[in-house]
Amino acid sequence: MKARSFKKFFVSIALSAVLTFSTAATAFAATAQLMPVEQSAELSPEQTDIPSVDDSNAQAAGVSYLTSDSGIKQIAASENSVTVQWNPVTNAAKYAISISPFSSGSYKLLGYFDNSRNKAKINKLKAGTAYKVRITALTSSGTAISSRIAGCTTLYSSVTVKTSYASTGGYTFNMNTVNPANSISGYKVIYQSSAAHKLITKYYTRPSFTLPLNKNTFYQVKIYPYLLLNNKRYVTTTPTTRYISMGIVLKKAGNTSSTMSVKWNKVAGANNYSVYVKYPNSSSYKKVRTTTATSFTLTNMTKNVKYGIKVIANKKVNGKTWTSASNAYTMSLTGR
C-alpha cells in the first residue's frame, strides 16, 4: 500500500445487519467484526492540509511493506478497525470477505455481502497490527470468479521513541521502526514552550525528525502516529508525550585564588537544577548540588587543574522528573 496524495475521505457507517466472526483464531482477534459501508457515507476525521509523502521513506533495511492487488485498497482506519473498498466484479452475485494476519496465509471467513456493496468495515481488531483482507467474487451458484487481497493496518495506539537528543538546530527524535514499514505514514507532532505557551503543530513523514526549539525553556512534546489513506490523515487518539529542553549555557561569574563561579539563565518550566562536577583524576561526573538558584561556586580548586562542570534543568510532571540536555564545560584557575 503506497502513500499518495488524494482529495476526499469516506466514513464507514454500520448497517443494522452485522456479520460477526466467531470462529476461534489464535493468530488475530477472534472477535473481528464485519460491517457493510454505505456508499454515500461521509467521514469527518481531522481536516488538515496533506504534505507530499516521500516514497523513499524506508524505515529499516529488510522490512516488509503493505501492498494491495489492483482494484482493492484500504480507505480508512481506526485503532481497532480497517475499511476496504474494491471495484465491482461483472457477474458477481456476492462477495466473501476473509481476513488473515499479515504474516500468515491462513484466512478466516467473516461473512458475505451482496453485489450492491463494494466497501466493508472490519471491527474489533488489534491496534497497531497489519492484516490481509481478501475479497472473493462469487456467482449465484457459489463459483469463485476472482479473488483480490489488500494489505491493511489498524492505527497504532502509541509509538516508542528510540532515541532523542539536542542537536544542531533543535532537538532530534528517532522513532522505533515498525514492520510493515508503511503501517505508519508519518507523525503529527504538537509541541508547546513553557515560556511562550503557543501550540505548534508539525507533520513528519520520516521516523527521524528535528524540532526547532529555543533555549532556556522546557517544551511539552506530543507525538501521534498517523496513516495516510485517500488523501486524509487518520491520527491516533493517544499521544506519546515527552518534556524536553535544550542544554544550559554556562557563563563565568567570577573567581578567587581557589574558587570559580558560573551562572546561567533561568529555564522556563524548570523546578530546579542539578550541578555535576568531574574532579581531577575522575572519569565521571558527580552530582554535587540540586538548587533553585541560577549560579554555582566551585570551591577548594587547585590552580592549573581542569575540572568538568555541567548543569541540568529538571522538570517534575505527575511524579516523573524530566531533564534537559546537558552541555559539558571545563573550569580551571591559572596562575601561581
Side-chain angles (χ1 to χ4, degrees), residues 90-138:
T90 303
N91 297 324
K94 60 182 178 179
Y95 299 97
I97 293 86
S98 305
I99 192 170
S100 167
F102 184 74
S103 59
S104 170
S106 177
Y107 286 85
K108 298 296 181 180
L109 178 65
L110 295 179
Y112 299 89
F113 286 165
D114 62 36
N115 61 5
S116 67
R117 304 291 178 189
N118 73 329
K119 297 178 185 177
K121 180 179 180 181
I122 302 172
N123 286 318
K124 297 185 179 180
L125 300 176
K126 185 178 178 181
T129 304
Y131 298 89
K132 290 182 291 188
V133 176
R134 183 174 65 191
I135 305 297
T136 303
L138 304 170

Side-chain angles (χ1 to χ4, degrees), residues 165-172 210-211 246:
Y165 48 86
S167 58
T168 302
Y171 208 97
T172 296
T210 299
L211 301 181
M246 301 295 285

Side-chain angles (χ1 to χ4, degrees), residues 85-280:
Q85 181 179 21
W86 60 93
N87 294 342
V89 177
T90 303
N91 297 324
K94 60 182 178 179
Y95 299 97
I97 293 86
S98 305
I99 192 170
S100 167
F102 184 74
S103 59
S104 170
S106 177
Y107 286 85
K108 298 296 181 180
L109 178 65
L110 295 179
Y112 299 89
F113 286 165
D114 62 36
N115 61 5
S116 67
R117 304 291 178 189
N118 73 329
K119 297 178 185 177
K121 180 179 180 181
I122 302 172
N123 286 318
K124 297 185 179 180
L125 300 176
K126 185 178 178 181
T129 304
Y131 298 89
K132 290 182 291 188
V133 176
R134 183 174 65 191
I135 305 297
T136 303
L138 304 170
T139 64
S140 57
S141 62
T143 302
I145 301 174
S146 67
S147 183
R148 288 170 287 182
I149 296 172
C152 302
T153 182
T154 53
L155 296 183
Y156 278 72
S157 57
S158 63
V159 286
T160 303
V161 178
K162 185 177 181 180
T163 59
S164 62
Y165 48 86
S167 58
T168 302
Y171 208 97
T172 296
F173 286 84
N174 293 312
M175 307 304 296
N176 251 9
T177 57
V178 295
N179 194 357
N182 56 341
S183 56
I184 291 179
S185 302
Y187 301 90
K188 174 184 178 180
V189 181
I190 301 177
Y191 60 105
Q192 179 182 35
S193 165
S194 295
H197 302 291
K198 180 182 178 181
L199 288 174
I200 301 172
T201 301
K202 289 184 177 293
Y203 293 89
Y204 298 94
T205 58
R206 293 183 179 275
S208 178
F209 51 85
T210 299
L211 301 181
L213 304 184
N214 294 322
K215 296 179 180 178
N216 304 319
T217 181
F218 266 97
Y219 286 81
Q220 180 194 67
V221 179
K222 293 185 176 182
I223 304 171
Y224 302 79
Y226 70 81
L227 192 63
L228 188 63
L229 297 168
N230 259 14
N231 199 36
K232 293 295 179 180
R233 299 188 191 94
Y234 286 84
V235 184
T236 191
T237 57
T238 306
T240 294
T241 304
R242 295 287 186 272
Y243 292 86
I244 60 175
S245 179
M246 301 295 285
I248 290 176
V249 176
L250 298 182
K251 300 176 182 178
K252 184 179 176 181
N255 65 275
T256 68
S257 60
S258 61
T259 68
M260 181 175 287
S261 297
V262 294
K263 63 181 180 180
W264 58 91
N265 291 329
K266 180 179 179 181
V267 177
N271 298 109
N272 51 48
Y273 309 91
S274 295
V275 181
Y276 294 81
V277 174
K278 184 167 71 173
Y279 290 96

Side-chain angles (χ1 to χ4, degrees), residues 10-66:
F10 295 95
V11 71
S12 47
I13 297 179
L15 295 181
S16 57
V18 175
L19 298 173
T20 303
F21 170 56
S22 59
T23 304
T26 58
F28 60 94
T31 55
Q33 188 178 68
L34 177 66
M35 305 174 73
V37 179
E38 291 287 5
Q39 304 300 314
S40 61
E42 302 242 342
L43 187 68
S44 57
E46 181 185 47
Q47 300 296 317
T48 56
D49 294 331
I50 301 301
S52 59
V53 176
D54 187 347
D55 292 333
S56 65
N57 182 22
Q59 298 195 42
V63 295
S64 56
Y65 290 83
L66 292 171

